C-alpha cells in the first residue's frame, strides 16, 4: 500500500519548477499548487504584491491541507522555498495527514529566463539565502 505523496518543487525563479510540475502531474490528474496562484487572475495575468505575500503563503497551505483531507493521491507544490520557514508547515501537514514528503530541487541548467522579471541582482540575493539541507 503506497502512501499518498506531497512533492515540493523548489528552486529559484526561472529554474523550471512550473514546467516540471506540469510534466509530472499527468495532464492535470494531480493538483499543482503555487504561491503564484494567488497573484494570477482569471486571464492568467500575474501581478505580484509583496504586501500580500503572507496571504499567498496562507492560501497555498490551506489548499494543500484541503487536498490532503480529500485524499488526493499526489499533490505538487511549485514554489521557491528558499527559506526554511516556507517548507516547515508542509513537513508538519505531511506528518499529520500521513503523506510521504519529497523535496525536489530544480536548477536552471537550461538557461531559461524567469517569467516574473526578477533581476539578476535579486536572483543572486535569493541564491545567497537558498539553503541545501544536509542531514
Amino acid at each position: 500500500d503506497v502512501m499518498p505523496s506531497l512533492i515540493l518543487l523548489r528552486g529559484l525563479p526561472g529554474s523550471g519548477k512550473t514546467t516540471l510540475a506540469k510534466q509530472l502531474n499527468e495532464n492535470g490528474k494531480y493538483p499543482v499548487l503555487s504561491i503564484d496562484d494567488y497573484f494570477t487572475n482569471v486571464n492568467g495575468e500575474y501581478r505580484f504584491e509583496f504586501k500580500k505575500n503572507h496571504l499567498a503563503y496562507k492560501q497555498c497551505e490551506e489548499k494543500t491541507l484541503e487536498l490532503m483531507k480529500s485524499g488526493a493521491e499526489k499533490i505538487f507544490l511549485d514554489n521557491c522555498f528558499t527559506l526554511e520557514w516556507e517548507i516547515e508547515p508542509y513537513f508538519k501537514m505531511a506528518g499529520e495527514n500521513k503523506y510521504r514528503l519529497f523535496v525536489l530541487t530544480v536548477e536552471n541548467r537550461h538557461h531559461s529566463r524567469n517569467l516574473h522579471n526578477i533581476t539578476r541582482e535579486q536572483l543572486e540575493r535569493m541564491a545567497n539565502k537558498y539553503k541545501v539541507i544536509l542531514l
Side-chain angles (χ1 to χ4, degrees):
D1 209 23
V2 179
M3 289 174 70
S5 299
L6 176 62
I7 300 114
L8 308 183
L9 303 174
R10 72 186 292 247
L12 297 176
S15 62
K17 299 177 301 294
T18 303
T19 303
L20 179 58
K22 286 176 184 171
Q23 288 288 317
L24 296 175
N25 85 341
E26 298 180 31
N27 294 318
K29 181 177 179 183
Y30 303 110
V32 176
L33 302 175
S34 175
I35 301 296
D36 289 347
D37 298 342
Y38 185 88
F39 300 106
T40 306
N41 68 22
V42 291
N43 299 323
E45 298 163 330
Y46 178 82
R47 291 205 178 93
F48 180 74
E49 294 179 57
F50 184 77
K51 288 183 212 165
K52 294 185 177 178
N53 212 21
H54 67 287
L55 298 172
Y57 279 95
K58 195 76 182 150
Q59 176 182 285
C60 199
E61 290 170 24
E62 288 169 357
K63 285 187 174 186
T64 301
L65 188 57
E66 283 174 25
L67 286 165
M68 287 178 166
K69 299 283 186 201
S70 73
E73 184 183 344
K74 291 180 190 173
I75 304 166
F76 292 94
L77 266 92
D78 143 31
N79 291 328
C80 292
F81 293 117
T82 46
L83 302 172
E84 199 59 23
W85 68 263
E86 297 169 311
I87 296 177
E88 283 173 10
Y90 298 100
F91 274 96
K92 186 176 182 215
M93 274 189 262
E96 290 172 352
N97 293 281
K98 297 186 176 28
Y99 269 71
R100 180 173 293 156
L101 180 72
F102 296 94
V103 179
L104 305 177
T105 299
V106 183
E107 297 179 358
N108 186 356
R109 295 187 178 252
H110 49 283
H111 306 293
S112 178
R113 296 193 50 88
N114 73 77
L115 299 177
H116 302 306
N117 298 317
I118 296 172
T119 66
R120 177 80 186 174
E121 183 182 45
Q122 288 170 302
L123 283 171
E124 286 174 7
R125 279 199 308 269
M126 289 177 80
N128 287 333
K129 292 184 218 171
Y130 197 90
K131 299 274 188 272
V132 175
I133 306 304
L134 302 173
L135 300 177

